Amino acid sequence: NISNIDPSENDQEELLLSSQALMEESNLLDEIVDEDSNIQETTITNDEIIKNEIVKMESSHQLLNQWPEPIIEDFNYDWPDLTHKNNIEQWIQKNKKILIRTITWNLNAKKPPDVNDVRKILMPSDKFHLYFIGSEECERSIAQSAINTSKKNWESYLINALGSSYKPLRAHTLQATHIMMFAHKSIARYCSNITSAAVACGIGNALGNKGGVAIQLNVGNTKILVINAHLAAHQNAVKQRNNDFNTIIKYLPEKLNKNISDSVSTLADRVIFMGDLNYRIRGNRKAITKLISLNMHEVMLHNDQLRWSISKGLAFTDFIEAPLNFKPTYKLDVDSDEYDTGTKKRIPAWTDRILFIPNGIECIAYNSDHSLRTSDHRPVYGSFKISIDIDILTNSIENNELNTEKTQSLTNISDNDK
């Protein structure tokens, strides 16, 4: 049964293509038969074939592939003016929506770039009602974070980057994995019942070197849940990554609500799952690098481990992902657009991802910021329109007294015992 096969166990160094159309498009391929599934697939076999076919394609003007454009929001079209309180409330009341930006970034224990650089694309001010910023290996490595979990410097950096328009409402840390939530100051009073939790996925599900952190809150009467995770690493660990995901969604409801009967899909009205999920692209370094140079985006998608896992029902079965149209975000040289030129020469991959349950959520941007080069990962962001049930006048009266104290200061929780 192919659904029980770990793709990393078969033909580790080969690039498997599942599309007949792609096979016909390119003469770079030889046919093989997967003995476990009896499904005919194709594989790139050697560099000489690739080289010869590229020469042929160039000479016949067939190199017409173009990398697709990532989804980017249009700030000039029907976008609220978040610099005026009345305009913000009128827009929310009329549209019954809020705008949120989610970010996941593995900083590889490196110092982040100047805040002015992150404000350009990744964290623009006065554009979103809520920010959820997930990070992995910020300030310290995984090993160092087992001893010192503090993220004070990172949190101060984020507060500075977003500026006075935003209030930090919650942060949660699990060793090197972190999530922090900000609300625009004009709508912070409409945020209530803010909770957070962490699920460890290390040895025996007790160590926090891998796992997930989550923040849940109500905006009006709508419950929003955002999870940031760091799943198992390495090219061949797709089965463990799937296990990590399933562990997080199994135990998170109990951690958040003390109710083991809940599931993530019923725990909240709107659910987003992001992080350094670590899923790789099936293939060897030379083949994947060549595919990138040829802009053979669709071939790479067909060999993405996360998409394979979803198609087989092994993980993220309730989730979808917006078009994955940005270049792989791992592993790149620092201060460079070159993929790993070190001795290990890691295979480029879309390790950093954002998925969501398609219920009252519209993804309006999904991209990476390749201008931020301080880490071997590039940060990934997703922008969403979230449908909410809210009456501005009613909620203003109720929440102004109930939540004023809560929204004035950051609640920060660290799972120090993990």
Side-chain angles (χ1 to χ4, degrees):
N1 185 340
I2 193 169
S3 65
N4 294 322
I5 299 171
D6 185 334
S8 65
E9 295 173 357
N10 299 292
D11 306 307
Q12 293 299 328
E13 295 303 319
E14 296 181 340
L15 179 65
L16 299 180
L17 306 179
S18 58
S19 168
Q20 182 67 25
L22 290 170
M23 182 171 61
E24 293 173 354
E25 174 188 353
S26 174
N27 292 323
L28 307 180
L29 310 169
D30 288 336
E31 295 181 355
I32 66 168
V33 174
D34 186 326
E35 295 178 357
D36 292 309
S37 62
N38 294 320
I39 294 177
Q40 183 169 297
E41 297 178 324
T42 56
T43 180
I44 293 177
T45 55
N46 61 62
D47 294 336
E48 193 61 33
I49 294 176
I50 295 174
K51 186 176 180 180
N52 292 339
E53 290 300 326
I54 290 173
V55 172
K56 292 178 183 178
M57 293 169 73
E58 287 176 334
S59 63
S60 58
H61 305 287
Q62 292 177 352
L63 276 178
L64 301 177
N65 292 316
Q66 291 186 350
W67 196 275
E69 290 294 325
I71 302 174
I72 301 175
E73 64 275 86
D74 184 356
F75 291 130
N76 296 315
Y77 177 74
D78 192 29
W79 207 270
D81 181 0
L82 270 65
T83 61
H84 294 89
K85 174 178 174 291
N86 290 339
N87 290 344
I88 296 172
E89 294 182 344
Q90 290 172 7
W91 191 91
I92 294 175
Q93 185 70 29
K94 174 186 175 183
N95 293 277
K96 299 297 183 182
K97 297 179 188 293
I98 58 170
L99 300 162
I100 76 169
R101 161 76 53 106
T102 59
I103 297 167
T104 180
W105 192 359
N106 186 322
L107 286 96
N108 194 31
K110 299 294 192 296
K111 183 180 178 180
D114 187 272
V115 290
N116 291 318
D117 293 329
V118 300
R119 289 169 181 158
K120 294 175 183 176
I121 297 174
L122 198 64
M123 303 179 196
S125 187
D126 291 320
K127 296 297 183 184
F128 299 94
H129 299 107
L130 300 179
Y131 269 94
F132 292 88
I133 303 173
S135 62
E136 307 80 38
E137 301 183 54
C138 62
E139 291 201 42
R140 299 169 186 83
S141 66
I142 292 175
Q144 293 169 334
S145 295
I147 301 171
N148 184 353
T149 63
S150 174
K151 302 293 183 289
K152 289 179 64 175
N153 293 335
W154 172 242
E155 290 168 358
S156 296
Y157 173 88
L158 295 179
I159 291 170
N160 185 24
L162 288 176
S164 60
S165 293
Y166 289 88
K167 292 181 178 180
L169 298 189
R170 192 83 170 192
H172 203 113
T173 303
L174 176 68
Q175 284 195 15
T177 306
H178 181 265
I179 189 170
M180 192 170 186
M181 175 212 161
F182 293 80
H184 196 275
K185 60 184 180 182
S186 60
I187 73 154
R189 58 181 173 170
Y190 305 117
C191 301
S192 62
N193 302 319
I194 306 172
T195 60
S196 62
V199 177
C201 295
I203 298 174
N205 292 335
L207 297 182
N209 58 310
K210 291 295 187 287
V213 288
I215 294 176
Q216 180 180 265
L217 75 151
N218 278 63
V219 179
N221 300 314
T222 301
K223 187 171 290 186
I224 299 171
L225 172 64
V226 179
I227 306 158
N228 185 59
H230 196 181
L231 307 186
H234 305 306
Q235 182 78 14
N236 302 336
V238 59
K239 186 179 293 185
Q240 184 58 51
R241 287 189 270 280
N242 292 340
N243 290 340
D244 287 351
F245 167 79
N246 289 310
T247 296
I248 292 168
I249 63 169
K250 178 180 179 180
Y251 292 108
L252 188 60
E254 181 181 3
K255 296 272 191 176
L256 280 171
N257 287 359
K258 311 300 181 186
N259 188 349
I260 60 175
S261 64
D262 281 338
S263 66
V264 165
S265 59
T266 60
L267 187 62
D269 303 302
R270 314 286 179 252
V271 182
I272 297 173
F273 196 112
M274 63 182 179
D276 179 359
L277 306 184
N278 255 321
Y279 288 93
R280 310 303 171 95
I281 301 172
R282 299 181 67 185
N284 60 41
R285 170 59 189 264
K286 289 184 179 179
I288 301 304
T289 301
K290 185 58 66 176
L291 290 176
I292 294 173
S293 70
L294 291 174
N295 289 327
M296 296 185 74
H297 172 262
E298 191 176 351
V299 179
M300 296 170 64
L301 284 182
H302 272 283
N303 292 278
D304 175 65
Q305 293 175 347
L306 176 53
R307 294 204 165 197
W308 184 92
S309 297
I310 293 173
S311 70
K312 302 304 176 186
L314 303 178
F316 292 92
T317 51
D318 294 327
F319 291 79
I320 65 171
E321 184 178 24
L324 190 61
N325 290 350
F326 48 85
K327 294 287 180 73
T329 54
Y330 174 86
K331 176 178 179 164
L332 292 103
D333 292 344
V334 173
D335 294 327
S336 171
D337 289 326
E338 295 292 325
Y339 289 96
D340 188 14
T341 59
T343 55
K344 293 184 178 181
K345 290 185 168 55
R346 299 286 191 188
I347 300 169
W350 288 293
T351 55
D352 311 282
R353 312 283 277 270
I354 303 173
L355 299 94
F356 60 98
I357 296 178
N359 177 30
I361 300 181
E362 178 190 357
C363 183
I364 55 175
Y366 189 35
N367 199 5
S368 64
D369 188 346
H370 275 256
S371 71
L372 303 177
R373 303 171 178 173
T374 53
S375 170
D376 57 357
H377 290 252
R378 299 297 178 260
V380 169
Y381 64 89
S383 301
F384 300 90
K385 283 185 178 179
I386 306 289
S387 297
I388 58 170
D389 176 17
I390 189 171
D391 186 296
I392 290 294
L393 180 60
T394 301
N395 279 95
S396 177
I397 296 172
E398 291 177 353
N399 291 338
N400 199 28
E401 294 181 2
L402 291 175
N403 295 318
T404 298
E405 183 176 349
K406 285 184 182 179
T407 59
Q408 295 305 315
S409 59
L410 169 68
T411 300
N412 189 318
I413 297 176
S414 177
D415 281 42
N416 293 311
D417 57 328
K418 301 297 184 184

